[in-house]
Amino acid sequence: MFTKFLIFFLLCNPFVSLITAHEYPDDDFVRPLDRKLLGLDQKQEKLSHFKFYWHDIVSGRNPSSVEVVPPPLKNSTTAFGLVNMIENPLTLGPQLSSKLVGKAQGFYASTSQSEVDLIMAMNFAITEGKYNGSTITILGRNPVFNKVREMPVIGGSGLFRFARGYAQLRTHWFSPKTKDAIVEYNIYVFHY
C-alpha cells in the first residue's frame, strides 16, 4: 500500500514535476523554428530542372571512377560486392569535350547477386553559374540495365539547402569492353 501511495505522490505532486521538468527541459534538445528566420518562405521555394551528362570513365590512364573493393567472387556476372569511388565529370552534352558544369563525387557499389544493380551515393558539385559551389545530394538504387531509372534527391548545400526531388537516369552510351559509360541525368529539385 505504501508503494502505491509513494508512486501516486511522486506522479501527482506539482513540486516534483517542476524539479523533473527543470532537470530535463525539452527545449535544450529541440525547439521549433520559424521558417522565415532561415529564409525559407514557402512562397519563394522553386522547382528547377537540371539536365547534364555523367561520364563514368573506368579505363585509360586518368579514370574518373576507380575500383576500391573488388568483387569477392571472380566469376560473378553482377560483380556483387564491387565498390567504386568516383569524381565523374558532368557536362551539358554527351561529349566529354562539351561544357563542364560540375562533377559527381561519391561512390557506387554492386548490391545484387542476380542482376546488375548499384547503390549510389553522390554529391553533384555544381561549378557553373549562380549555383557554383552548391551541391545536390542523391542516394538510391540504380538497376543499370533498365531503360529509365529514378533516384531520390535527399538534400544539398549552398543554394540547395533543404533540397528534395528526384533524378531520372538514362544510359546514353556504354562500352561492355571498357565498362565506360555516359548517363543522361534529369534532376527535378525543389529548393529555395
Side-chain angles (χ1 to χ4, degrees):
M1 184 70 154
F2 178 75
T3 306
K4 288 181 184 177
F5 173 76
L6 184 60
I7 292 171
F8 177 77
F9 176 76
L10 291 175
L11 291 175
C12 296
N13 189 325
F15 180 72
V16 173
S17 298
L18 284 175
I19 291 172
T20 307
H22 180 69
E23 287 179 23
Y24 303 101
D26 289 337
D27 60 345
D28 281 351
F29 176 68
V30 63
R31 62 189 167 107
L33 291 175
D34 183 356
R35 295 168 62 108
K36 292 177 184 171
L37 290 175
L38 293 174
L40 302 177
D41 186 0
Q42 221 167 0
K43 294 176 186 172
Q44 295 178 344
E45 190 175 36
K46 301 177 232 26
L47 173 62
S48 297
H49 171 220
F50 294 86
K51 178 182 176 182
F52 40 71
Y53 291 85
W54 179 88
H55 298 266
D56 194 44
I57 305 164
V58 179
S59 65
R61 287 191 279 154
N62 193 23
S64 65
S65 177
V66 294
E67 185 178 291
V68 293
V69 178
L73 303 173
K74 299 302 177 204
N75 60 353
S76 170
T77 58
T78 66
F80 179 63
L82 167 89
V83 179
N84 272 39
M85 295 301 293
I86 65 166
E87 185 177 62
N88 289 350
L90 302 172
T91 61
L92 282 183
Q95 298 78 21
L96 188 56
S97 60
S98 63
K99 185 173 183 170
L100 184 70
V101 294
K103 52 190 166 184
Q105 296 173 315
F107 69 90
Y108 57 80
S110 179
T111 58
S112 176
Q113 296 182 49
S114 59
E115 62 182 313
V116 181
D117 195 6
L118 305 175
I119 180 78
M120 301 183 78
M122 297 179 287
N123 283 315
F124 289 108
I126 309 300
T127 58
E128 189 61 36
K130 75 176 189 176
Y131 298 107
N132 183 21
S134 297
T135 64
I136 297 171
T137 305
I138 292 179
L139 171 68
R141 177 178 178 261
N142 180 1
V144 297
F145 289 122
N146 287 5
K147 184 175 180 179
V148 178
R149 290 91 70 195
E150 186 173 303
M151 291 194 300
V153 170
I154 62 166
S157 67
L159 294 177
F160 298 114
R161 286 185 196 128
F162 297 102
R164 65 191 193 287
Y166 69 98
Q168 281 190 333
L169 297 66
R170 288 180 176 83
T171 301
H172 179 77
W173 174 82
F174 173 72
S175 168
K177 181 180 177 183
T178 65
K179 306 291 191 256
D180 292 349
I182 301 169
V183 179
E184 177 186 313
Y185 274 76
N186 282 280
I187 299 177
Y188 302 88
V189 61
F190 281 105
H191 61 100
Y192 292 93

